[in-house]
Amino acid sequence: MELLILLVQNAGTLVGRTEIQALWGNDVHLEHDSAINTAVRKVRQAPGDDAERPRFVETVVGKGYRFIAPVDQRVLSGGAQPSASNIPLPSVGDFPRYCLTRGKQEFLLVAGENMLGRDADAQVHVEHPSVSRRHARISIERGRAALEDLRSLHGTFVNGRRIETPTELKSGTVIGLGPITLTFLLVPVSASTSPVNGEPEHRTERPS
């Protein structure tokens, strides 16, 4: 998010890799090239951007990145200057709005691959002994979503039918991860990012 804010604040202007590197601070030791590449990939993944034909983030090879989507630079009341927390971002209508629900919990899915399972790094983390660590995967591309079983022990189901090959999902489809059921929805507004196990999500990775 810090990288996205930095790019939007400098929309239309090249942001160098050295400037991006400063987001981590001097007290964090890591391989910066790899960290920057990962952060940029995450920024592109959320709106389904394509590095070859970018609509949001353009790569300037060997130099840095430029945010190229239109940004609404509104003047804040009282003449205050925009800050990182209140700069307007591109319209939410530009972003994928698919989610999985379980009870009152919602988990927003992004363009690309979304892992479902007990693995701590899974985008949809389901803590249940009958759910495999890497149980299934939902791929969202070009406005279509498909569910694929990843050789799970207790199987993956679509509307009660066990699947063996990637299966397209429609809004309202009931997904089964063994005995655990979730509903796939196309939602009219942004879903929360709470994990489906009912516990609040706390992620400290920076930047994302």
Side-chain angles (χ1 to χ4, degrees):
M1 180 57 72
E2 291 178 10
L3 173 58
L4 177 58
I5 290 171
L6 175 64
L7 292 171
V8 171
Q9 285 178 323
N10 295 277
T13 302
L14 175 68
V15 178
R17 294 179 70 88
T18 301
E19 188 175 355
I20 295 173
Q21 178 179 324
L23 291 173
W24 280 271
N26 296 325
D27 57 339
V28 177
H29 302 284
L30 75 165
E31 207 291 302
H32 284 100
D33 284 341
S34 176
I36 290 172
N37 293 341
T38 297
V40 171
R41 185 168 63 251
K42 289 182 178 182
V43 167
R44 283 185 171 134
Q45 185 183 45
D49 203 13
D50 185 341
E52 298 298 324
R53 296 181 295 277
R55 295 179 297 121
F56 295 93
V57 180
E58 176 186 57
T59 300
V60 180
V61 179
K63 295 183 178 180
Y65 303 89
R66 181 184 293 114
F67 194 85
I68 58 175
V71 175
D72 183 3
Q73 297 282 5
R74 299 174 186 171
V75 177
L76 304 178
S77 60
Q81 293 297 316
S83 68
S85 63
N86 55 36
I87 250 188
L89 298 180
S91 168
V92 71
D94 293 330
F95 292 79
R97 292 178 293 175
Y98 297 99
C99 77
L100 288 178
T101 66
R102 185 186 179 200
K104 295 182 179 180
Q105 299 298 316
E106 294 181 343
F107 196 98
L108 184 66
L109 303 175
V110 300
E113 295 184 351
N114 299 265
M115 192 67 60
L116 289 66
R118 284 192 297 110
D119 194 295
D121 293 329
Q123 284 86 349
V124 180
H125 177 238
V126 182
E127 190 59 50
H128 190 280
S130 295
V131 175
S132 300
R133 293 184 64 84
R134 295 169 62 88
H135 196 107
R137 175 171 55 217
I138 293 177
S139 300
I140 299 177
E141 297 180 359
R142 298 179 178 87
R144 301 180 65 182
L147 175 68
E148 179 183 2
D149 181 71
L150 298 178
R151 298 182 179 179
S152 62
L153 180 62
H154 295 287
T156 301
F157 301 81
V158 168
N159 292 330
R161 177 178 61 85
R162 186 165 185 164
I163 62 172
E164 304 294 340
T165 58
T167 302
E168 186 172 354
L169 299 174
K170 303 293 184 182
S171 186
T173 297
V174 176
I175 295 172
L177 305 180
I180 302 300
T181 59
L182 306 97
T183 303
F184 176 81
L185 294 174
L186 174 60
V187 294
V189 295
S190 296
S192 71
T193 54
S194 299
V196 294
N197 63 3
E199 296 296 329
E201 183 180 43
H202 299 284
R203 293 188 181 273
T204 57
E205 183 179 5
R206 300 172 60 194
S208 60

